[in-house]
């Protein structure tokens, strides 16, 4: 039990960091440069992790790193950067909260994980909370930003489950570093071709990229993939609901976005959804069900004996 909660807490580092990424990107990083923004986020993170775990890919990890780099890094980071520039902090982060269901479906189809009732219920409760969080003001929603968020969520969910399926004992930090470097190198020619020279960076932008790259990318993704290596995909996906919680709280406390009664209820539902998907809750529910079964089994012979007395 203690070990499970330790991995849950490690995993939680990722969505909390990602929830803050939207605010930092929107407030401090240059607008209209999603490809350069993604490249400047991925490459330093990959180099940091490679310095910690200096190891080159072997065998199938050459092409696996390329596939995961495209899904989890190059396309994903560019879409997230675009969404962060087009959407309010709370809205951009909460769209990603639908990922638990998508991750569970991909885990069922690709990794052979069973669809379990409590995580699915937790995902439903969490998504209900997301609906309340999104229902505050949709009049000024940029639907290009929504489309970018949805695409980022689907592609990254697929990439996360593939990383889980391909787990073979290779060091998580090394695998994560290879993804960042592959995705970042793929982004460089695309950024030069589409956006031209790198955007000028002032001191706040440099500090913003340092935060996003080291904390919200290198550390966060290493924590996330560690969680995927030790926990079911449904549990990890539900922990990801802390992403919108962080985004909404930052938007309220720092960016001055309004937190209404519906959003408060939504946050409570999101937290309830996270708890429902935890293995501890599933074990407690299973023990209760088993105990109930024993009561029935113990009472049944008595009833039979009573009816057999002449």
């Amino acid at each position: 039990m203690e070990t499970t909660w330790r991995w849950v807490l490690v995993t939680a580092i990722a969505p909390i960091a990602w929830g803050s990424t939207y605010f930092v990107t929107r407030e401090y990083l240059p607008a209209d440069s999603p490809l350069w923004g993604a490249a400047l986020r991925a490459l330093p993170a990959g180099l940091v992790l490679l310095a910690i775990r200096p190891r080159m890919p072997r065998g199938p990890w050459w092409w696996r790193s390329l596939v995961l780099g495209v899904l989890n890094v190059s396309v994903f980071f560019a879409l997230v950067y675009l969404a962060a520039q087009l959407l309010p902090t709370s809205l951009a982060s909460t769209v990603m909260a639908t990922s638990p269901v998508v991750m569970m479906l991909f885990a069922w189809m690709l990794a052979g994980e069973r669809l379990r009732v409590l995580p699915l219920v937790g995902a439903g409760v969490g998504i209900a909370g997301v609906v309340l969080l999104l229902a505050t003001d949709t009049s000024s929603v940029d639907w290009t930003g929504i489309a970018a968020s949805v695409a980022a969520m689907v592609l990254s969910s697929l990439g996360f489950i593939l990383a889980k399926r391909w787990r073979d004992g290779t060091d998580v930090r090394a695998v994560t570093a290879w993804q960042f470097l592959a995705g970042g190198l793929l982004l460089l020619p695309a950024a030069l071709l589409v956006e031209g020279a790198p955007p000028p960076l002032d001191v706040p932008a440099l500090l913003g990229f340092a935060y996003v790259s080291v904390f919200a990318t290198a550390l966060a993704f290493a924590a996330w993939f560690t969680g995927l290596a030790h926990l079911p995909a449904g549990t990890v996906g539900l922990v990801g609901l802390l992403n919108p919680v962080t985004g909404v709280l930052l938007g309220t406390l720092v960016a001055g976005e309004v937190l209404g009664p519906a959003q408060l209820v939504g946050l409570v539902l999101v937290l309830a959804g996270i708890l429902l998907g935890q293995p501890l809750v599933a074990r407690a529910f299973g023990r209760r069900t088993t105990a109930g079964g024993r009561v029935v089994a113990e009472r049944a012979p008595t009833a039979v004996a009573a009816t057999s007395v002449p």
Side-chain angles (χ1 to χ4, degrees), residues 4 13 18 21 57 99 101-102 148 219 225 271 283 299 302 304 306:
T4 298
I13 294 171
W18 294 337
T21 300
S99 63
V101 174
V102 178
L219 175 63
F225 287 123
L271 294 175
R283 285 196 292 267
R299 289 179 179 175
T302 305
V304 172

Side-chain angles (χ1 to χ4, degrees), residues 9 16 22-23 53 59 69 98 116-117 121 123 129 170 204 230 238 255 263 269-271 274-275 278 280 309:
L9 292 174
I16 291 173
Y22 295 98
F23 173 76
R53 190 66 172 96
T98 55
R116 300 181 183 276
V117 174
V121 172
T170 304
H230 292 89
L238 286 169
Q263 285 184 303
L269 290 177
V270 167
L271 294 175
I274 294 172
L275 289 176
Q278 300 311 306
L280 178 63
V309 175

Side-chain angles (χ1 to χ4, degrees), residues 10-105:
V10 168
T11 306
I13 294 171
I16 291 173
W18 294 337
S20 66
T21 300
Y22 295 98
F23 173 76
V24 174
T25 300
R26 188 179 179 87
E27 297 295 324
Y28 300 108
L29 303 188
D32 303 322
S33 300
L35 295 177
W36 274 115
L40 293 173
R41 176 183 178 182
L43 287 172
L47 292 173
V48 167
L49 288 174
L50 192 64
I52 295 173
R53 190 66 172 96
R55 181 176 178 180
M56 296 299 291
R58 294 180 181 177
W61 278 110
W62 285 102
W63 66 265
R64 288 176 180 177
S65 299
L66 184 62
V67 171
L68 296 177
V70 170
L71 293 174
N72 294 335
V73 180
S74 56
V75 178
F76 175 60
F77 283 2
L79 289 172
V80 167
Y81 195 100
L82 179 62
Q85 296 291 353
L86 295 176
L87 298 174
T89 300
S90 57
L91 183 56
S93 58
T94 50
V95 170
M96 294 293 291
T98 55
S99 63
V101 174
V102 178
M103 284 184 64
M104 280 186 261
L105 290 175

Side-chain angles (χ1 to χ4, degrees), residues 21 28 64 88 115 162 194 196 199-200 215 238 273 277 281 286 307 309:
T21 300
Y28 300 108
R64 288 176 180 177
L115 291 173
L162 286 176
V194 176
F215 181 71
L238 286 169
V281 176
T307 56
V309 175

Side-chain angles (χ1 to χ4, degrees), residues 75-206:
V75 178
F76 175 60
F77 283 2
L79 289 172
V80 167
Y81 195 100
L82 179 62
Q85 296 291 353
L86 295 176
L87 298 174
T89 300
S90 57
L91 183 56
S93 58
T94 50
V95 170
M96 294 293 291
T98 55
S99 63
V101 174
V102 178
M103 284 184 64
M104 280 186 261
L105 290 175
F106 279 136
W108 172 60
M109 292 186 293
L110 300 175
E113 287 193 8
R114 232 178 11 167
L115 291 173
R116 300 181 183 276
V117 174
L118 280 179
L120 285 171
V121 172
V125 171
I127 290 174
V130 170
V131 171
L132 288 176
L133 287 166
L134 291 174
T136 54
D137 179 19
T138 58
S139 59
S140 59
V141 168
D142 188 312
W143 291 103
T144 301
I146 294 292
S149 290
V150 172
M153 179 269 297
V154 173
L155 291 175
S156 62
S157 296
L158 174 60
F160 295 153
I161 298 306
L162 286 176
K164 183 176 180 66
R165 179 180 177 179
W166 292 336
R167 186 179 71 247
D168 59 1
T170 304
D171 187 86
V172 170
R173 293 162 296 181
V175 171
T176 309
W178 302 335
Q179 294 179 56
F180 289 150
L181 293 174
L185 290 173
L186 287 172
L187 281 164
L188 286 180
L192 285 169
L193 183 64
V194 176
E195 298 174 356
L201 302 178
D202 55 13
V203 173
L206 289 171

Side-chain angles (χ1 to χ4, degrees), residues 240-256:
L241 291 173
L242 289 172
N243 185 329
V245 172
T246 305
V248 168
L249 292 178
L250 274 178
T252 301
L253 298 174
V254 181

